[in-house]
Amino acid sequence: MVRVTVGGRIHFGFQNLSLAHDRLYGGVGVGLSEPRLVLSAEPAEDVACDWPAATSYVERAVEVIGVPGANVTVERRLPRHVGLGSGTRLALASLVAVARAHGRPVDLREVAPDLGRGGRSGVGVATFEAGGFVVDAGHPTELFTSAPPDEGEWTVPPVVARHDVPDDWRFLLVTPEVERGRSGDPEDASIRSVVERADPGIADDIALVLTRQLLPAVATGDHETFGHAVARLSRLNGAWYADEQGGVYRPPAGRLIDALDSIPGVSGAGQSSWGPTVYGVTHASVAETATRAARDALDDLGLEGTVRLVEAAAAGASADP
């Protein structure tokens, strides 16, 4: 039996969604220690999975690897479609677990497109591989128009920057119990609509935030500047998505982000992917106080939900034995 363990991820946003620039997308994000997906597999003659939501991922992994089947148990589940990367985590963890259970080598980056992963952002694949804070190169715009190319005609975008996140940084994750974020065909349709009319000037602003603030901040361990920068990146991305999600942030994320921004010790807040999860960047020295304040913010807004205080992942997924 092989057991794969991996945390979720925050997707801070893209570098460019305009067809006017040379490269499209270019994801920015960070791997997390929690919440975790823990999935185990052993060889079998057909496919069996104890979590119906994961069965299609296991079936696809079995097909791509070319083995008869696998018995898969999902011991810990990542919340699905809340902005923490559950789809890519399930796809890649299933692939690794099934391949290793059958003693087959697997190249994640080579096979990920066959699973439909890495077609826009490379953050999910990169943080599965190595954790940390990552920036990917995006795709050539002439290849990725508003409609993505067919499977097999693209590769996972390469990582252009990766940094370990300081041990004393923390991320507040607040997931309100509201409608789940977009995924699958609705997500594809929304992004296609955004790309067709995206303002190229926003990408220019993001480039300045990334190169002058965000990358220097993570390299030097300046969590306050890092927080301000990812919050700015989130707002700029939200300007692209405003027509698709009902505002710069998808309601009620905006009210939660304002509440997190007002907490002493939280240096910046934003929405992860399509939400509804929002994040706040904070520090171990004030983490407990910030966590209590985040729970109070949910209560004050009359929302049910989950508050997590997590560290960045120092490494990628583990697979034992």
Side-chain angles (χ1 to χ4, degrees), residues 8-11 35 77-87 173-183 250 253 270-279 306 308:
R9 62 97 180 103
I10 296 173
H11 199 276
R77 303 174 183 181
L78 268 176
R80 300 195 72 211
H81 307 315
V82 299
L84 297 176
S86 63
L173 304 179
V174 182
T175 307
E177 292 183 4
V178 295
E179 182 181 356
R180 302 287 175 163
R182 296 178 187 179
S183 62
R250 186 168 74 88
Q271 175 179 299
S272 181
S273 189
W274 290 101
T277 296
V278 303
Y279 61 83
T306 303
R308 298 177 177 91

PDB file of all heavy atoms in Angstrom, residues 8-11 35 77-87 173-183 250 253 270-279 306 308:
ATOM      1  N   GLY A   8      -3.285  21.713   1.024  1.00  0.00           N
ATOM      2  CA  GLY A   8      -3.917  22.505  -0.016  1.00  0.00           C
ATOM      3  C   GLY A   8      -2.998  23.609  -0.517  1.00  0.00           C
ATOM      4  O   GLY A   8      -1.776  23.589  -0.297  1.00  0.00           O
ATOM      5  N   ARG A   9      -3.583  24.588  -1.171  1.00  0.00           N
ATOM      6  CA  ARG A   9      -2.805  25.726  -1.658  1.00  0.00           C
ATOM      7  C   ARG A   9      -3.676  26.968  -1.700  1.00  0.00           C
ATOM      8  O   ARG A   9      -4.901  26.894  -1.788  1.00  0.00           O
ATOM      9  CB  ARG A   9      -2.195  25.448  -3.029  1.00  0.00           C
ATOM     10  CG  ARG A   9      -3.220  25.183  -4.147  1.00  0.00           C
ATOM     11  CD  ARG A   9      -3.487  26.447  -4.942  1.00  0.00           C
ATOM     12  NE  ARG A   9      -4.448  26.258  -6.021  1.00  0.00           N
ATOM     13  CZ  ARG A   9      -5.701  26.641  -5.972  1.00  0.00           C
ATOM     14  NH1 ARG A   9      -6.196  27.207  -4.876  1.00  0.00           N
ATOM     15  NH2 ARG A   9      -6.522  26.479  -7.015  1.00  0.00           N
ATOM     16  N   ILE A  10      -3.029  28.119  -1.617  1.00  0.00           N
ATOM     17  CA  ILE A  10      -3.696  29.397  -1.883  1.00  0.00           C
ATOM     18  C   ILE A  10      -3.296  29.832  -3.282  1.00  0.00           C
ATOM     19  O   ILE A  10      -2.108  29.795  -3.638  1.00  0.00           O
ATOM     20  CB  ILE A  10      -3.281  30.485  -0.876  1.00  0.00           C
ATOM     21  CG1 ILE A  10      -3.726  30.128   0.540  1.00  0.00           C
ATOM     22  CG2 ILE A  10      -3.874  31.834  -1.277  1.00  0.00           C
ATOM     23  CD1 ILE A  10      -3.181  31.084   1.593  1.00  0.00           C
ATOM     24  N   HIS A  11      -4.269  30.251  -4.074  1.00  0.00           N
ATOM     25  CA  HIS A  11      -3.968  30.832  -5.387  1.00  0.00           C
ATOM     26  C   HIS A  11      -4.207  32.335  -5.277  1.00  0.00           C
ATOM     27  O   HIS A  11      -5.337  32.786  -5.176  1.00  0.00           O
ATOM     28  CB  HIS A  11      -4.849  30.226  -6.467  1.00  0.00           C
ATOM     29  CG  HIS A  11      -4.311  30.418  -7.855  1.00  0.00           C
ATOM     30  ND1 HIS A  11      -4.526  31.558  -8.578  1.00  0.00           N
ATOM     31  CD2 HIS A  11      -3.539  29.616  -8.637  1.00  0.00           C
ATOM     32  CE1 HIS A  11      -3.917  31.458  -9.753  1.00  0.00           C
ATOM     33  NE2 HIS A  11      -3.309  30.292  -9.813  1.00  0.00           N
ATOM     34  N   PRO A  35      -5.417  22.584   5.187  1.00  0.00           N
ATOM     35  CA  PRO A  35      -5.901  21.227   5.435  1.00  0.00           C
ATOM     36  C   PRO A  35      -5.255  20.246   4.480  1.00  0.00           C
ATOM     37  O   PRO A  35      -4.716  20.640   3.445  1.00  0.00           O
ATOM     38  CB  PRO A  35      -7.410  21.351   5.206  1.00  0.00           C
ATOM     39  CG  PRO A  35      -7.543  22.488   4.246  1.00  0.00           C
ATOM     40  CD  PRO A  35      -6.450  23.452   4.599  1.00  0.00           C
ATOM     41  N   ARG A  77      -9.844  14.339   3.752  1.00  0.00           N
ATOM     42  CA  ARG A  77     -10.349  14.999   2.559  1.00  0.00           C
ATOM     43  C   ARG A  77     -10.093  16.495   2.604  1.00  0.00           C
ATOM     44  O   ARG A  77     -10.329  17.137   3.624  1.00  0.00           O
ATOM     45  CB  ARG A  77     -11.855  14.753   2.421  1.00  0.00           C
ATOM     46  CG  ARG A  77     -12.238  13.284   2.385  1.00  0.00           C
ATOM     47  CD  ARG A  77     -13.749  13.122   2.394  1.00  0.00           C
ATOM     48  NE  ARG A  77     -14.138  11.710   2.419  1.00  0.00           N
ATOM     49  CZ  ARG A  77     -15.390  11.293   2.417  1.00  0.00           C
ATOM     50  NH1 ARG A  77     -16.386  12.192   2.418  1.00  0.00           N
ATOM     51  NH2 ARG A  77     -15.659  10.003   2.435  1.00  0.00           N
ATOM     52  N   LEU A  78      -9.660  17.030   1.485  1.00  0.00           N
ATOM     53  CA  LEU A  78      -9.620  18.479   1.316  1.00  0.00           C
ATOM     54  C   LEU A  78     -11.029  18.967   1.000  1.00  0.00           C
ATOM     55  O   LEU A  78     -11.740  18.327   0.215  1.00  0.00           O
ATOM     56  CB  LEU A  78      -8.707  18.860   0.153  1.00  0.00           C
ATOM     57  CG  LEU A  78      -7.242  19.162   0.434  1.00  0.00           C
ATOM     58  CD1 LEU A  78      -6.521  19.411  -0.888  1.00  0.00           C
ATOM     59  CD2 LEU A  78      -7.089  20.361   1.341  1.00  0.00           C
ATOM     60  N   PRO A  79     -11.457  20.086   1.587  1.00  0.00           N
ATOM     61  CA  PRO A  79     -12.754  20.648   1.193  1.00  0.00           C
ATOM     62  C   PRO A  79     -12.774  20.910  -0.311  1.00  0.00           C
ATOM     63  O   PRO A  79     -11.801  21.432  -0.873  1.00  0.00           O
ATOM     64  CB  PRO A  79     -12.834  21.948   1.981  1.00  0.00           C
ATOM     65  CG  PRO A  79     -11.839  21.815   3.077  1.00  0.00           C
ATOM     66  CD  PRO A  79     -10.760  20.918   2.580  1.00  0.00           C
ATOM     67  N   ARG A  80     -13.848  20.549  -0.966  1.00  0.00           N
ATOM     68  CA  ARG A  80     -13.918  20.650  -2.422  1.00  0.00           C
ATOM     69  C   ARG A  80     -14.496  21.988  -2.872  1.00  0.00           C
ATOM     70  O   ARG A  80     -15.444  22.502  -2.301  1.00  0.00           O
ATOM     71  CB  ARG A  80     -14.774  19.516  -2.996  1.00  0.00           C
ATOM     72  CG  ARG A  80     -14.233  18.123  -2.686  1.00  0.00           C
ATOM     73  CD  ARG A  80     -14.908  17.090  -3.565  1.00  0.00           C
ATOM     74  NE  ARG A  80     -14.446  17.187  -4.931  1.00  0.00           N
ATOM     75  CZ  ARG A  80     -15.202  16.892  -5.992  1.00  0.00           C
ATOM     76  NH1 ARG A  80     -16.461  16.541  -5.825  1.00  0.00           N
ATOM     77  NH2 ARG A  80     -14.705  16.979  -7.216  1.00  0.00           N
ATOM     78  N   HIS A  81     -13.863  22.555  -3.904  1.00  0.00           N
ATOM     79  CA  HIS A  81     -14.351  23.756  -4.584  1.00  0.00           C
ATOM     80  C   HIS A  81     -14.521  24.938  -3.637  1.00  0.00           C
ATOM     81  O   HIS A  81     -15.516  25.670  -3.700  1.00  0.00           O
ATOM     82  CB  HIS A  81     -15.673  23.459  -5.300  1.00  0.00           C
ATOM     83  CG  HIS A  81     -15.607  22.276  -6.219  1.00  0.00           C
ATOM     84  ND1 HIS A  81     -14.563  22.063  -7.100  1.00  0.00           N
ATOM     85  CD2 HIS A  81     -16.451  21.217  -6.373  1.00  0.00           C
ATOM     86  CE1 HIS A  81     -14.773  20.932  -7.759  1.00  0.00           C
ATOM     87  NE2 HIS A  81     -15.903  20.399  -7.334  1.00  0.00           N
ATOM     88  N   VAL A  82     -13.557  25.122  -2.749  1.00  0.00           N
ATOM     89  CA  VAL A  82     -13.589  26.292  -1.862  1.00  0.00           C
ATOM     90  C   VAL A  82     -12.372  27.191  -2.057  1.00  0.00           C
ATOM     91  O   VAL A  82     -12.139  28.104  -1.287  1.00  0.00           O
ATOM     92  CB  VAL A  82     -13.708  25.875  -0.369  1.00  0.00           C
ATOM     93  CG1 VAL A  82     -14.996  25.111  -0.130  1.00  0.00           C
ATOM     94  CG2 VAL A  82     -12.493  25.074   0.097  1.00  0.00           C
ATOM     95  N   GLY A  83     -11.564  26.931  -3.102  1.00  0.00           N
ATOM     96  CA  GLY A  83     -10.402  27.771  -3.383  1.00  0.00           C
ATOM     97  C   GLY A  83      -9.092  27.248  -2.840  1.00  0.00           C
ATOM     98  O   GLY A  83      -8.114  27.987  -2.792  1.00  0.00           O
ATOM     99  N   LEU A  84      -9.037  25.964  -2.456  1.00  0.00           N
ATOM    100  CA  LEU A  84      -7.819  25.400  -1.870  1.00  0.00           C
ATOM    101  C   LEU A  84      -7.162  24.344  -2.759  1.00  0.00           C
ATOM    102  O   LEU A  84      -6.251  23.634  -2.315  1.00  0.00           O
ATOM    103  CB  LEU A  84      -8.126  24.805  -0.485  1.00  0.00           C
ATOM    104  CG  LEU A  84      -8.604  25.826   0.550  1.00  0.00           C
ATOM    105  CD1 LEU A  84      -8.982  25.127   1.854  1.00  0.00           C
ATOM    106  CD2 LEU A  84      -7.532  26.890   0.815  1.00  0.00           C
ATOM    107  N   GLY A  85      -7.610  24.219  -3.995  1.00  0.00           N
ATOM    108  CA  GLY A  85      -6.932  23.347  -4.950  1.00  0.00           C
ATOM    109  C   GLY A  85      -7.274  21.886  -4.851  1.00  0.00           C
ATOM    110  O   GLY A  85      -6.455  21.029  -5.215  1.00  0.00           O
ATOM    111  N   SER A  86      -8.479  21.538  -4.411  1.00  0.00           N
ATOM    112  CA  SER A  86      -8.809  20.132  -4.169  1.00  0.00           C
ATOM    113  C   SER A  86      -8.762  19.284  -5.433  1.00  0.00           C
ATOM    114  O   SER A  86      -8.344  18.119  -5.390  1.00  0.00           O
ATOM    115  CB  SER A  86     -10.203  20.031  -3.536  1.00  0.00           C
ATOM    116  OG  SER A  86     -11.201  20.531  -4.412  1.00  0.00           O
ATOM    117  N   GLY A  87      -9.182  19.830  -6.581  1.00  0.00           N
ATOM    118  CA  GLY A  87      -9.216  19.038  -7.798  1.00  0.00           C
ATOM    119  C   GLY A  87      -7.846  18.584  -8.250  1.00  0.00           C
ATOM    120  O   GLY A  87      -7.629  17.399  -8.545  1.00  0.00           O
ATOM    121  N   LEU A 173      -7.046  31.123   7.157  1.00  0.00           N
ATOM    122  CA  LEU A 173      -7.976  30.706   6.118  1.00  0.00           C
ATOM    123  C   LEU A 173      -9.389  30.761   6.692  1.00  0.00           C
ATOM    124  O   LEU A 173      -9.676  30.092   7.683  1.00  0.00           O
ATOM    125  CB  LEU A 173      -7.680  29.282   5.648  1.00  0.00           C
ATOM    126  CG  LEU A 173      -6.275  28.980   5.135  1.00  0.00           C
ATOM    127  CD1 LEU A 173      -6.177  27.513   4.740  1.00  0.00           C
ATOM    128  CD2 LEU A 173      -5.909  29.876   3.958  1.00  0.00           C
ATOM    129  N   VAL A 174     -10.240  31.541   6.083  1.00  0.00           N
ATOM    130  CA  VAL A 174     -11.633  31.652   6.528  1.00  0.00           C
ATOM    131  C   VAL A 174     -12.519  31.190   5.375  1.00  0.00           C
ATOM    132  O   VAL A 174     -12.511  31.787   4.294  1.00  0.00           O
ATOM    133  CB  VAL A 174     -11.983  33.092   6.929  1.00  0.00           C
ATOM    134  CG1 VAL A 174     -13.420  33.156   7.443  1.00  0.00           C
ATOM    135  CG2 VAL A 174     -11.017  33.610   7.993  1.00  0.00           C
ATOM    136  N   THR A 175     -13.260  30.109   5.619  1.00  0.00           N
ATOM    137  CA  THR A 175     -14.130  29.540   4.595  1.00  0.00           C
ATOM    138  C   THR A 175     -15.573  29.623   5.060  1.00  0.00           C
ATOM    139  O   THR A 175     -16.019  28.814   5.882  1.00  0.00           O
ATOM    140  CB  THR A 175     -13.763  28.071   4.306  1.00  0.00           C
ATOM    141  OG1 THR A 175     -12.367  27.971   3.992  1.00  0.00           O
ATOM    142  CG2 THR A 175     -14.582  27.532   3.139  1.00  0.00           C
ATOM    143  N   PRO A 176     -16.322  30.607   4.585  1.00  0.00           N
ATOM    144  CA  PRO A 176     -17.737  30.714   4.990  1.00  0.00           C
ATOM    145  C   PRO A 176     -18.570  29.615   4.349  1.00  0.00           C
ATOM    146  O   PRO A 176     -18.251  29.131   3.256  1.00  0.00           O
ATOM    147  CB  PRO A 176     -18.140  32.096   4.468  1.00  0.00           C
ATOM    148  CG  PRO A 176     -17.244  32.331   3.294  1.00  0.00           C
ATOM    149  CD  PRO A 176     -15.928  31.668   3.637  1.00  0.00           C
ATOM    150  N   GLU A 177     -19.629  29.232   5.028  1.00  0.00           N
ATOM    151  CA  GLU A 177     -20.525  28.198   4.501  1.00  0.00           C
ATOM    152  C   GLU A 177     -21.526  28.850   3.545  1.00  0.00           C
ATOM    153  O   GLU A 177     -22.663  29.158   3.905  1.00  0.00           O
ATOM    154  CB  GLU A 177     -21.218  27.471   5.642  1.00  0.00           C
ATOM    155  CG  GLU A 177     -20.271  26.626   6.479  1.00  0.00           C
ATOM    156  CD  GLU A 177     -20.990  25.854   7.564  1.00  0.00           C
ATOM    157  OE1 GLU A 177     -22.244  25.910   7.625  1.00  0.00           O
ATOM    158  OE2 GLU A 177     -20.304  25.199   8.374  1.00  0.00           O
ATOM    159  N   VAL A 178     -21.047  29.066   2.330  1.00  0.00           N
ATOM    160  CA  VAL A 178     -21.867  29.656   1.274  1.00  0.00           C
ATOM    161  C   VAL A 178     -21.681  28.810   0.021  1.00  0.00           C
ATOM    162  O   VAL A 178     -21.005  27.778   0.048  1.00  0.00           O
ATOM    163  CB  VAL A 178     -21.464  31.124   1.006  1.00  0.00           C
ATOM    164  CG1 VAL A 178     -21.752  31.983   2.228  1.00  0.00           C
ATOM    165  CG2 VAL A 178     -19.990  31.235   0.609  1.00  0.00           C
ATOM    166  N   GLU A 179     -22.247  29.238  -1.088  1.00  0.00           N
ATOM    167  CA  GLU A 179     -22.135  28.492  -2.344  1.00  0.00           C
ATOM    168  C   GLU A 179     -20.669  28.284  -2.706  1.00  0.00           C
ATOM    169  O   GLU A 179     -19.829  29.175  -2.558  1.00  0.00           O
ATOM    170  CB  GLU A 179     -22.836  29.259  -3.469  1.00  0.00           C
ATOM    171  CG  GLU A 179     -22.825  28.539  -4.810  1.00  0.00           C
ATOM    172  CD  GLU A 179     -23.515  29.355  -5.886  1.00  0.00           C
ATOM    173  OE1 GLU A 179     -24.047  30.430  -5.566  1.00  0.00           O
ATOM    174  OE2 GLU A 179     -23.509  28.908  -7.047  1.00  0.00           O
ATOM    175  N   ARG A 180     -20.355  27.091  -3.176  1.00  0.00           N
ATOM    176  CA  ARG A 180     -18.985  26.741  -3.524  1.00  0.00           C
ATOM    177  C   ARG A 180     -18.501  27.536  -4.728  1.00  0.00           C
ATOM    178  O   ARG A 180     -19.290  28.045  -5.538  1.00  0.00           O
ATOM    179  CB  ARG A 180     -18.887  25.245  -3.838  1.00  0.00           C
ATOM    180  CG  ARG A 180     -19.348  24.357  -2.697  1.00  0.00           C
ATOM    181  CD  ARG A 180     -18.345  24.338  -1.574  1.00  0.00           C
ATOM    182  NE  ARG A 180     -18.821  23.594  -0.414  1.00  0.00           N
ATOM    183  CZ  ARG A 180     -18.038  23.160   0.563  1.00  0.00           C
ATOM    184  NH1 ARG A 180     -16.748  23.400   0.532  1.00  0.00           N
ATOM    185  NH2 ARG A 180     -18.534  22.510   1.598  1.00  0.00           N
ATOM    186  N   GLY A 181     -17.161  27.620  -4.850  1.00  0.00           N
ATOM    187  CA  GLY A 181     -16.570  28.320  -5.982  1.00  0.00           C
ATOM    188  C   GLY A 181     -16.761  27.558  -7.285  1.00  0.00           C
ATOM    189  O   GLY A 181     -17.132  26.383  -7.298  1.00  0.00           O
ATOM    190  N   ARG A 182     -16.467  28.218  -8.393  1.00  0.00           N
ATOM    191  CA  ARG A 182     -16.682  27.614  -9.703  1.00  0.00           C
ATOM    192  C   ARG A 182     -15.587  26.596 -10.014  1.00  0.00           C
ATOM    193  O   ARG A 182     -14.438  26.731  -9.601  1.00  0.00           O
ATOM    194  CB  ARG A 182     -16.709  28.692 -10.788  1.00  0.00           C
ATOM    195  CG  ARG A 182     -17.860  29.644 -10.609  1.00  0.00           C
ATOM    196  CD  ARG A 182     -17.873  30.737 -11.659  1.00  0.00           C
ATOM    197  NE  ARG A 182     -18.902  31.710 -11.332  1.00  0.00           N
ATOM    198  CZ  ARG A 182     -19.149  32.803 -12.047  1.00  0.00           C
ATOM    199  NH1 ARG A 182     -18.446  33.044 -13.128  1.00  0.00           N
ATOM    200  NH2 ARG A 182     -20.098  33.639 -11.675  1.00  0.00           N
ATOM    201  N   SER A 183     -15.989  25.590 -10.805  1.00  0.00           N
ATOM    202  CA  SER A 183     -15.043  24.580 -11.254  1.00  0.00           C
ATOM    203  C   SER A 183     -15.581  23.984 -12.546  1.00  0.00           C
ATOM    204  O   SER A 183     -16.734  24.224 -12.932  1.00  0.00           O
ATOM    205  CB  SER A 183     -14.870  23.478 -10.198  1.00  0.00           C
ATOM    206  OG  SER A 183     -16.104  22.807  -9.978  1.00  0.00           O
ATOM    207  N   ARG A 250     -15.959  37.793  -4.713  1.00  0.00           N
ATOM    208  CA  ARG A 250     -17.252  37.126  -4.791  1.00  0.00           C
ATOM    209  C   ARG A 250     -17.941  37.207  -3.433  1.00  0.00           C
ATOM    210  O   ARG A 250     -17.406  36.714  -2.443  1.00  0.00           O
ATOM    211  CB  ARG A 250     -17.066  35.658  -5.193  1.00  0.00           C
ATOM    212  CG  ARG A 250     -18.381  34.929  -5.430  1.00  0.00           C
ATOM    213  CD  ARG A 250     -18.136  33.587  -6.108  1.00  0.00           C
ATOM    214  NE  ARG A 250     -17.588  32.596  -5.209  1.00  0.00           N
ATOM    215  CZ  ARG A 250     -18.314  31.785  -4.452  1.00  0.00           C
ATOM    216  NH1 ARG A 250     -19.629  31.873  -4.476  1.00  0.00           N
ATOM    217  NH2 ARG A 250     -17.737  30.894  -3.692  1.00  0.00           N
ATOM    218  N   ALA A 253     -17.114  37.456   0.216  1.00  0.00           N
ATOM    219  CA  ALA A 253     -15.672  37.532   0.465  1.00  0.00           C
ATOM    220  C   ALA A 253     -15.212  38.957   0.764  1.00  0.00           C
ATOM    221  O   ALA A 253     -14.342  39.172   1.610  1.00  0.00           O
ATOM    222  CB  ALA A 253     -14.899  36.971  -0.726  1.00  0.00           C
ATOM    223  N   GLY A 270      -7.034  38.515   1.041  1.00  0.00           N
ATOM    224  CA  GLY A 270      -7.560  38.406  -0.310  1.00  0.00           C
ATOM    225  C   GLY A 270      -8.372  37.136  -0.474  1.00  0.00           C
ATOM    226  O   GLY A 270      -8.585  36.385   0.485  1.00  0.00           O
ATOM    227  N   GLN A 271      -8.811  36.903  -1.692  1.00  0.00           N
ATOM    228  CA  GLN A 271      -9.632  35.743  -2.024  1.00  0.00           C
ATOM    229  C   GLN A 271      -8.780  34.729  -2.769  1.00  0.00           C
ATOM    230  O   GLN A 271      -8.068  35.075  -3.717  1.00  0.00           O
ATOM    231  CB  GLN A 271     -10.803  36.184  -2.907  1.00  0.00           C
ATOM    232  CG  GLN A 271     -11.683  35.052  -3.431  1.00  0.00           C
ATOM    233  CD  GLN A 271     -12.824  35.579  -4.273  1.00  0.00           C
ATOM    234  OE1 GLN A 271     -13.670  36.331  -3.809  1.00  0.00           O
ATOM    235  NE2 GLN A 271     -12.848  35.202  -5.557  1.00  0.00           N
ATOM    236  N   SER A 272      -8.842  33.460  -2.371  1.00  0.00           N
ATOM    237  CA  SER A 272      -8.102  32.411  -3.061  1.00  0.00           C
ATOM    238  C   SER A 272      -8.928  31.860  -4.211  1.00  0.00           C
ATOM    239  O   SER A 272     -10.045  31.374  -4.005  1.00  0.00           O
ATOM    240  CB  SER A 272      -7.751  31.280  -2.091  1.00  0.00           C
ATOM    241  OG  SER A 272      -7.001  30.274  -2.757  1.00  0.00           O
ATOM    242  N   SER A 273      -8.389  31.981  -5.417  1.00  0.00           N
ATOM    243  CA  SER A 273      -9.060  31.464  -6.610  1.00  0.00           C
ATOM    244  C   SER A 273     -10.479  32.041  -6.682  1.00  0.00           C
ATOM    245  O   SER A 273     -10.672  33.242  -6.491  1.00  0.00           O
ATOM    246  CB  SER A 273      -9.050  29.934  -6.574  1.00  0.00           C
ATOM    247  OG  SER A 273      -9.507  29.384  -7.778  1.00  0.00           O
ATOM    248  N   TRP A 274     -11.508  31.185  -6.921  1.00  0.00           N
ATOM    249  CA  TRP A 274     -12.894  31.645  -6.984  1.00  0.00           C
ATOM    250  C   TRP A 274     -13.546  31.711  -5.608  1.00  0.00           C
ATOM    251  O   TRP A 274     -14.739  31.994  -5.495  1.00  0.00           O
ATOM    252  CB  TRP A 274     -13.719  30.708  -7.871  1.00  0.00           C
ATOM    253  CG  TRP A 274     -13.406  30.784  -9.320  1.00  0.00           C
ATOM    254  CD1 TRP A 274     -12.632  29.906 -10.034  1.00  0.00           C
ATOM    255  CD2 TRP A 274     -13.836  31.773 -10.264  1.00  0.00           C
ATOM    256  NE1 TRP A 274     -12.566  30.295 -11.353  1.00  0.00           N
ATOM    257  CE2 TRP A 274     -13.293  31.431 -11.523  1.00  0.00           C
ATOM    258  CE3 TRP A 274     -14.635  32.910 -10.162  1.00  0.00           C
ATOM    259  CZ2 TRP A 274     -13.520  32.186 -12.674  1.00  0.00           C
ATOM    260  CZ3 TRP A 274     -14.858  33.666 -11.305  1.00  0.00           C
ATOM    261  CH2 TRP A 274     -14.306  33.312 -12.539  1.00  0.00           C
ATOM    262  N   GLY A 275     -12.765  31.431  -4.549  1.00  0.00           N
ATOM    263  CA  GLY A 275     -13.344  31.430  -3.220  1.00  0.00           C
ATOM    264  C   GLY A 275     -14.199  30.200  -2.994  1.00  0.00           C
ATOM    265  O   GLY A 275     -14.135  29.239  -3.759  1.00  0.00           O
ATOM    266  N   PRO A 276     -15.019  30.223  -1.934  1.00  0.00           N
ATOM    267  CA  PRO A 276     -15.276  31.348  -1.031  1.00  0.00           C
ATOM    268  C   PRO A 276     -14.200  31.577   0.023  1.00  0.00           C
ATOM    269  O   PRO A 276     -14.320  32.473   0.852  1.00  0.00           O
ATOM    270  CB  PRO A 276     -16.593  30.954  -0.365  1.00  0.00           C
ATOM    271  CG  PRO A 276     -16.546  29.464  -0.307  1.00  0.00           C
ATOM    272  CD  PRO A 276     -15.864  29.043  -1.583  1.00  0.00           C
ATOM    273  N   THR A 277     -13.127  30.737   0.041  1.00  0.00           N
ATOM    274  CA  THR A 277     -12.093  30.911   1.064  1.00  0.00           C
ATOM    275  C   THR A 277     -11.348  32.224   0.863  1.00  0.00           C
ATOM    276  O   THR A 277     -10.939  32.564  -0.256  1.00  0.00           O
ATOM    277  CB  THR A 277     -11.086  29.746   1.028  1.00  0.00           C
ATOM    278  OG1 THR A 277     -11.769  28.533   1.358  1.00  0.00           O
ATOM    279  CG2 THR A 277      -9.959  29.968   2.023  1.00  0.00           C
ATOM    280  N   VAL A 278     -11.179  32.963   1.947  1.00  0.00           N
ATOM    281  CA  VAL A 278     -10.330  34.145   1.950  1.00  0.00           C
ATOM    282  C   VAL A 278      -9.166  33.882   2.896  1.00  0.00           C
ATOM    283  O   VAL A 278      -9.242  33.028   3.781  1.00  0.00           O
ATOM    284  CB  VAL A 278     -11.089  35.418   2.361  1.00  0.00           C
ATOM    285  CG1 VAL A 278     -12.276  35.648   1.435  1.00  0.00           C
ATOM    286  CG2 VAL A 278     -11.576  35.335   3.798  1.00  0.00           C
ATOM    287  N   TYR A 279      -8.082  34.592   2.682  1.00  0.00           N
ATOM    288  CA  TYR A 279      -6.871  34.388   3.474  1.00  0.00           C
ATOM    289  C   TYR A 279      -6.398  35.711   4.057  1.00  0.00           C
ATOM    290  O   TYR A 279      -6.675  36.792   3.521  1.00  0.00           O
ATOM    291  CB  TYR A 279      -5.756  33.776   2.616  1.00  0.00           C
ATOM    292  CG  TYR A 279      -5.361  34.660   1.446  1.00  0.00           C
ATOM    293  CD1 TYR A 279      -4.466  35.713   1.599  1.00  0.00           C
ATOM    294  CD2 TYR A 279      -5.933  34.470   0.187  1.00  0.00           C
ATOM    295  CE1 TYR A 279      -4.147  36.544   0.547  1.00  0.00           C
ATOM    296  CE2 TYR A 279      -5.625  35.298  -0.869  1.00  0.00           C
ATOM    297  CZ  TYR A 279      -4.735  36.333  -0.688  1.00  0.00           C
ATOM    298  OH  TYR A 279      -4.437  37.169  -1.736  1.00  0.00           O
ATOM    299  N   THR A 306     -15.556  28.099   8.742  1.00  0.00           N
ATOM    300  CA  THR A 306     -14.386  27.483   9.353  1.00  0.00           C
ATOM    301  C   THR A 306     -13.216  28.445   9.302  1.00  0.00           C
ATOM    302  O   THR A 306     -12.962  29.084   8.268  1.00  0.00           O
ATOM    303  CB  THR A 306     -14.003  26.187   8.610  1.00  0.00           C
ATOM    304  OG1 THR A 306     -15.115  25.296   8.615  1.00  0.00           O
ATOM    305  CG2 THR A 306     -12.813  25.507   9.275  1.00  0.00           C
ATOM    306  N   ARG A 308      -9.104  28.513   9.949  1.00  0.00           N
ATOM    307  CA  ARG A 308      -7.903  27.708  10.131  1.00  0.00           C
ATOM    308  C   ARG A 308      -6.693  28.628  10.178  1.00  0.00           C
ATOM    309  O   ARG A 308      -6.609  29.610   9.433  1.00  0.00           O
ATOM    310  CB  ARG A 308      -7.704  26.718   8.985  1.00  0.00           C
ATOM    311  CG  ARG A 308      -8.807  25.681   8.830  1.00  0.00           C
ATOM    312  CD  ARG A 308      -8.518  24.795   7.615  1.00  0.00           C
ATOM    313  NE  ARG A 308      -9.497  23.737   7.432  1.00  0.00           N
ATOM    314  CZ  ARG A 308     -10.598  23.853   6.698  1.00  0.00           C
ATOM    315  NH1 ARG A 308     -10.866  25.012   6.098  1.00  0.00           N
ATOM    316  NH2 ARG A 308     -11.431  22.840   6.577  1.00  0.00           N
TER     317      ARG A 308
END
